[in-house]
Amino acid sequence: DVKVTQSSRYLVKRTGEKVFLECVQDMDHENMFWYRQDPGLGLRLIYFSYDVKMKEKGDIPEGYSVSREKKERFSLILESASTNQTSMYLCASSGPGMNSPLHFGNGTRLTVT
Amino acid sequence: QKEVEQNSGPLSVPEGAIASLNCTYSDRGSQSFFWYRQYSGKSPELIMFIYSNGDKEDGRFTAQLNKASQYVSLLIRDSQPSDSATYLCAPQNAGNMLTFGGGTRLMVKP
């Protein structure tokens, strides 16, 4: 079974702090993704990565950056957290090609005060 | 027009009934279609996917795809209270990227 592990289930940070959300997968998947999920807005893609050291912007990259130094690890960075970044953050991974589903981590509920 | 449209619900069905969840999509290049279930406060989990026109059955779940009409649906037979969740439709485009609908909240009443 694919396991995608997000380092924190709940996180509370102050405005202006630098925040790191970590994600690790154990299935040697090439593709990794970061989404945020908000009521009424659904799942929105922030960034994704097809390989080590590669990153691509998703639909809402502003205010975020990512790092993928190792294949199994994909980090989301909020350079200066703001209250509008309070959300549920979901990491996912997938294998290559068609019909490869996304496997999600348990999510990190981030609150920025 | 949103890329992936789902009725947000809630869709309320009695226990034992068939629940029918519908999804329309705008990208004609979409090739595969995934259905995820998400319980409140949890992350989405894969139920099944379909890529050929017609029906695909997996236990109590049946996915139906009509690419000409750009329509995909999920039927849940013998609905149980434990099926109460939000169901997300996610077409996969030619670049293998998934786009998620807003989800339909299903409530199965005992």
Side-chain angles (χ1 to χ4, degrees), chain A:
Chain A
D1 249 8
V2 177
K3 188 154 176 126
V4 180
T5 304
Q6 294 183 231
S7 54
S8 304
R9 186 76 179 96
Y10 298 96
L11 213 49
V12 179
K13 296 293 182 180
R14 294 197 179 275
T15 301
E17 277 193 80
K18 190 168 186 176
V19 181
F20 293 86
L21 302 183
E22 306 287 347
C23 175
V24 177
Q25 50 94 4
D26 67 356
M27 283 303 290
D28 203 35
H29 280 168
E30 290 80 2
N31 308 319
M32 296 190 75
F33 305 80
W34 275 105
Y35 290 87
R36 65 177 282 178
Q37 188 173 32
D38 303 285
L41 296 176
L43 275 161
R44 292 181 291 168
L45 182 63
I46 304 171
Y47 267 97
F48 60 100
S49 170
Y50 285 135
D51 203 348
V52 176
K53 297 194 186 295
M54 292 183 66
K55 61 184 179 184
E56 299 283 344
K57 292 180 179 179
D59 300 319
I60 51 164
E62 296 78 19
Y64 304 94
S65 62
V66 290
S67 172
R68 194 164 180 202
E69 296 297 317
K70 294 185 177 182
K71 191 174 186 179
E72 67 271 19
R73 187 180 295 271
F74 193 35
S75 303
L76 180 69
I77 304 156
L78 287 67
E79 295 290 343
S80 178
S82 63
T83 54
N84 62 13
Q85 292 178 309
T86 292
S87 185
M88 170 69 89
Y89 289 87
L90 290 161
C91 176
S93 72
S94 72
M98 270 185 56
N99 303 329
S100 297
L102 290 179
H103 300 271
F104 286 90
N106 286 336
T108 296
R109 168 108 19 221
L110 172 67
T111 301
V112 182
T113 61

Side-chain angles (χ1 to χ4, degrees), chain B residues 23-88:
Chain B
C23 173
T24 58
Y25 60 94
S26 61
D27 183 358
R28 286 197 172 273
S30 299
Q31 308 201 4
S32 298
F33 302 83
F34 295 81
W35 281 100
Y36 284 82
R37 177 177 61 201
Q38 186 174 25
Y39 292 112
S40 181
K42 303 292 186 182
S43 59
E45 53 182 336
L46 180 69
I47 300 174
M48 64 187 301
F49 70 90
I50 186 169
Y51 55 85
S52 298
N53 278 327
D55 295 1
K56 179 182 178 182
E57 189 174 314
D58 185 357
R60 293 188 297 113
F61 299 97
T62 299
Q64 300 176 316
L65 175 61
N66 183 328
K67 289 186 179 179
S69 300
Q70 296 174 249
Y71 176 89
V72 58
S73 65
L74 180 70
L75 301 178
I76 307 174
R77 287 184 301 281
D78 187 25
S79 295
Q80 301 297 308
S82 59
D83 293 325
S84 298
T86 297
Y87 290 80
L88 304 171

